[in-house]
C-alpha cells in the first residue's frame, strides 16, 4: 500500500511539472508574438 501511494505521488508530481513547463512555454511564446517588453521604435524623427 505504501509503495502504491509513493508511486501515485511521484506520478502526480511529474504530471504537474510537465504542465507547469507547458504553461511557461506557451506564455513565453505568446509574449514573443505580442512583443511584450520590446522597445518602441522611437529612432525615426521626421522634421
Amino acid at each position: 500500500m505504501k509503495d502504491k501511494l509513493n508511486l501515485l505521488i511521484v506520478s502526480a508530481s511529474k504530471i504537474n511539472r510537465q504542465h507547469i513547463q507547458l504553461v511557461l512555454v506557451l506564455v513565453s511564446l505568446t509574449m514573443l508574438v505580442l512583443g511584450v517588453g520590446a522597445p518602441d521604435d522611437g529612432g525615426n524623427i521626421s522634421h
Side-chain angles (χ1 to χ4, degrees), residues 30-46:
T30 304
M31 289 174 65
L32 181 68
V33 168
L34 294 177
V36 174
D40 291 335
D41 192 17
N44 297 332
I45 300 174
S46 58

Side-chain angles (χ1 to χ4, degrees), residues 17-40:
R17 192 182 312 132
Q18 287 178 350
H19 284 139
I20 290 171
Q21 287 176 347
L22 180 64
V23 168
L24 289 177
V25 166
L26 289 176
V27 168
S28 61
L29 285 175
T30 304
M31 289 174 65
L32 181 68
V33 168
L34 294 177
V36 174
D40 291 335

